[in-house]
């Protein structure tokens, strides 16, 4: 059986210690890993650790074992290169094609997918130099994961944390699963909503639904694996953040609308997989509604929520922007789906049947994807990731 060959590049940041966990995940799941640490990173984690954990020698310099031509071979033979952590310096070198050590040489010779997992202080991440380097790398087809937000070295907090090693591993697994297919969403900004909105009635009650967010998260993770910059609008979900994805937490339909319109401003594609409440209570009680002994409960008056999908479709940020909706139907799915596609004005509508344990909360799904051009694509029963990939195939064709 082919053991996927992974190069784990480690550059000189304190998050280098977390790469040990990433390495373990690769080796324990049958990957052959060559660790290529930079000289600076060895201040944080020593060569012996990498050799012991990978079962292979770790190499730093181009001048070691020169007869094996490591500066070319390691990159040429890899199925995936992942750099974790990727410092601002390493990203700059990669963007400019510098090659002064084994890792930067490897990045120039690799023809497989390359994933960078940046980690640095917020100021360094936000600096225009770093942002331009990241944009350059993405434009060339590299996957640059968005750093996570949280505690940084010292007392600082902000954006710049290395994404969770488990999430980086999951992102790499999806990239490898594509088997070298082109990263057809590279350079694209994709916005995905997932989960279900909650419309508060009083401080402890809400109108909601049973969406878990699994379909939205699968869409976000697979889009990242195809090279997209992803913004995930997550409504009341409990799932771990997919690596390298910007996650914006929302709760109500009105919050989701605001976040969706903001994120859509520079998006190439918006996919509304969230289950959005069509109505919300007309009034919010500031204190818990009490039951009155002997009296019937007062009816709850509802008002309509805005239709976010219809609004996104009608007011696109650019003529080329694609808008995709989902339709959750319990009966006459295609009939209702076709009417919904016209009503909402989107380019694609994923019609999935729900109820009796289907779609909502499940790990699997099946659907028919209707196109405004009259196309119909049947997605057979399978993991939500598989449905997501078929949808991205259709999106990528239309973006061309
Ligand atoms: O989260 P999971 O547990 O994985 O479940 C996935 C899912 C079943 C929630 C998902 O596959 C799905 O079908 N999402 C859409 C659910 C839904 O709200 O369907 P709808 O037919 O009511 O709405 C149609 C479309 O309009 C949807 O894209 C919805 O996001 C959008 N909408 C709806 C109402 C509203 N006020 N604004 C909207 O934008």
């Amino acid at each position: 059986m082919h053991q996927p060959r992974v190069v784990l590049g480690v550059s000189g940041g304190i998050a280098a210690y977390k790469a040990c966990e990433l390495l373990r995940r690769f080796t324990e799941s049958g990957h052959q890993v060559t660790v290529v640490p930079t000289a600076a990173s060895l201040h944080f984690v020593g060569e012996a650790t990498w050799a012991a954990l990978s079962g292979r020698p770790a190499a730093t310099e181009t001048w070691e074992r020169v007869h094996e031509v490591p500066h070319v071979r390691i990159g040429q033979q890899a199925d995936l290169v992942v750099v974790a952590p990727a410092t601002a310096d390493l990203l700059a070198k990669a963007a400019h094609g510098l090659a002064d050590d084994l890792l930067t040489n490897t990045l120039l010779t690799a023809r497989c997918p390359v994933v960078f997992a940046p980690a640095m202080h917020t100021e360094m991440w936000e600096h225009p130099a770093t942002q331009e380097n990241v944009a350059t790398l993405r434009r060339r087809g590299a996957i640059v994961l968005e750093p996570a937000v949280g505690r940084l070295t010292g007392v600082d907090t902000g954006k710049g944390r290395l994404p969770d090693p488990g999430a980086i591993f999951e992102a790499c697994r999806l990239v490898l699963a594509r088997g070298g297919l082109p990263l057809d969403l590279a350079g694209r900004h994709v916005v995905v909503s997932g989960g279900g909105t909650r419309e508060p009635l009083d401080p402890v009650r809400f109108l909601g639904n049973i969406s878990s967010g699994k379909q939205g998260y699968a869409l976000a993770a697979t889009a990242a694996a195809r090279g997209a910059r992803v913004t995930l609008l997550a409504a009341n979900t409990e799932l771990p953040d997919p690596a390298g994805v910007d996650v914006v937490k929302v709760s109500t339909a009105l919050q989701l609308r605001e976040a969706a319109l903001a994120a859509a401003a520079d998006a190439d594609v918006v996919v509304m997989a969230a289950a959005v409440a069509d109505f919300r209570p007309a009034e919010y009680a500031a204190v818990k509604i009490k039951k009155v002994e002997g009296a019937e409960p007062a009816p709850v008056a509802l008002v309509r929520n805005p239709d976010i999908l219809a609004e996104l479709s009608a007011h696109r940020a650019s003529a080329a922007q694609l808008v995709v909706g989902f339709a959750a139907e319990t009966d006459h799915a295609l009939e209702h789906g076709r009417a919904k596609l016209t009503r909402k004005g989107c380019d694609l509508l994923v019609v999935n049947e729900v109820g009796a344990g289907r779609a909502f909360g499940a790990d699997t799904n099946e659907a028919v994807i209707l196109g405004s051009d009259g196309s119909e694509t049947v997605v057979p029963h399978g993991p939500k990731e598989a449905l997501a990939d078929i949808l991205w195939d259709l999106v990528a064709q239309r973006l061309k």
Side-chain angles (χ1 to χ4, degrees):
M1 243 182 62
H2 174 66
Q3 262 194 316
R5 278 170 300 209
V6 173
V7 173
L8 172 58
V10 183
S11 59
I14 178 65
Y17 78 92
K18 295 186 189 168
C20 299
E21 164 71 15
L22 179 61
L23 172 56
R24 267 233 114 91
R25 288 186 185 246
F26 277 121
T27 52
E28 284 174 4
S29 53
H31 299 77
Q32 190 190 96
V33 188
T34 303
V35 184
V36 184
T38 63
S41 78
L42 296 176
H43 290 291
F44 295 106
V45 179
E47 211 168 320
T49 303
W50 298 123
L53 287 178
S54 68
R56 301 164 64 81
T60 304
E61 295 300 333
T62 38
W63 307 113
E64 292 160 15
R65 303 205 313 217
V66 176
H67 63 286
E68 291 176 10
V69 205
H71 75 290
V72 176
R73 290 286 172 268
I74 293 175
Q76 277 178 340
Q77 292 171 353
D79 295 307
L80 176 83
V81 178
V82 50
V83 185
T87 58
D89 177 66
L90 187 282
L91 293 172
K93 283 181 173 158
H96 290 86
L98 301 187
D100 59 357
D101 63 5
L102 192 56
L103 178 54
T104 45
N105 272 276
T106 299
L107 289 169
L108 280 185
T109 54
R111 292 296 174 268
C112 59
V114 177
V115 177
F116 293 95
M120 64 197 74
H121 259 67
T122 312
E123 292 83 351
M124 297 175 86
W125 172 252
E126 288 176 349
H127 195 285
T130 304
Q131 286 303 306
E132 277 174 33
N133 291 331
V134 168
T136 301
L137 291 167
R138 283 182 174 150
R139 207 171 44 248
R140 291 191 197 131
I143 297 178
V144 185
L145 303 176
E146 288 290 314
V149 177
R151 181 86 193 266
L152 305 169
T153 323
V155 294
D156 297 337
T157 54
K159 188 166 182 173
R161 259 173 88 84
L162 185 76
D164 177 67
I168 300 175
F169 173 74
E170 188 52 26
C172 292
R173 187 188 67 75
L174 287 173
V175 174
L176 277 167
R178 284 185 57 71
L181 286 174
L183 301 176
D184 50 7
L185 296 179
R188 304 291 189 175
H189 180 205
V190 162
V191 177
V192 176
S193 72
T197 67
R198 288 181 184 175
E199 312 302 322
L201 185 58
D202 71 15
V204 295
R205 301 184 178 98
F206 57 83
L207 289 181
N209 62 70
I210 55 169
S211 168
S212 63
K214 287 179 185 173
Q215 186 62 73
Y217 277 58
L219 283 156
T222 47
R226 298 170 80 129
R229 173 164 76 86
V230 184
T231 305
L232 172 62
L233 312 175
N236 308 299
T237 55
E238 307 264 308
L239 303 168
D241 292 351
V245 165
D246 260 334
V247 181
V248 180
K249 301 270 185 194
V250 294
S251 187
T252 66
L254 292 180
Q255 289 167 1
L256 176 57
R257 174 183 175 272
E258 201 179 317
L261 294 182
D266 69 343
D268 297 286
V269 194
V270 186
V271 180
M272 288 291 294
V276 187
D278 288 314
F279 309 100
R280 65 180 185 277
E283 277 181 38
Y284 172 75
V287 292
K288 189 179 162 202
I289 299 168
K290 304 278 186 309
K291 59 177 176 294
V292 181
E293 285 310 326
E296 287 300 312
V300 176
L302 300 175
V303 291
R304 282 195 88 107
N305 270 328
D307 189 324
I308 307 165
L309 177 61
E311 188 174 351
L312 288 166
S313 301
H315 305 286
R316 300 182 189 227
S318 73
Q321 187 178 65
L322 287 179
V323 180
V324 181
F326 270 67
E329 304 294 345
T330 52
D331 62 298
H332 303 92
L334 277 182
E335 201 182 307
H336 291 312
R338 288 193 191 101
K340 209 169 260 184
L341 176 70
T342 312
R343 207 166 56 242
K344 303 267 186 178
C346 50
D347 302 288
L348 292 165
L349 189 78
V350 183
V351 183
N352 50 189
E353 291 203 44
V354 298
R358 287 174 303 180
F360 275 106
D363 292 331
T364 55
N365 204 355
E366 60 188 283
V368 177
I369 305 177
L370 304 177
S372 57
D373 53 3
S375 64
E376 289 193 11
T377 308
V378 177
V379 184
H381 187 82
K384 283 180 170 168
E385 279 170 8
L387 185 154
D389 262 324
I390 294 173
L391 180 61
W392 293 129
D393 288 344
L394 297 175
V395 164
Q397 283 164 17
R398 281 161 175 77
L399 284 175
K400 272 191 216 154

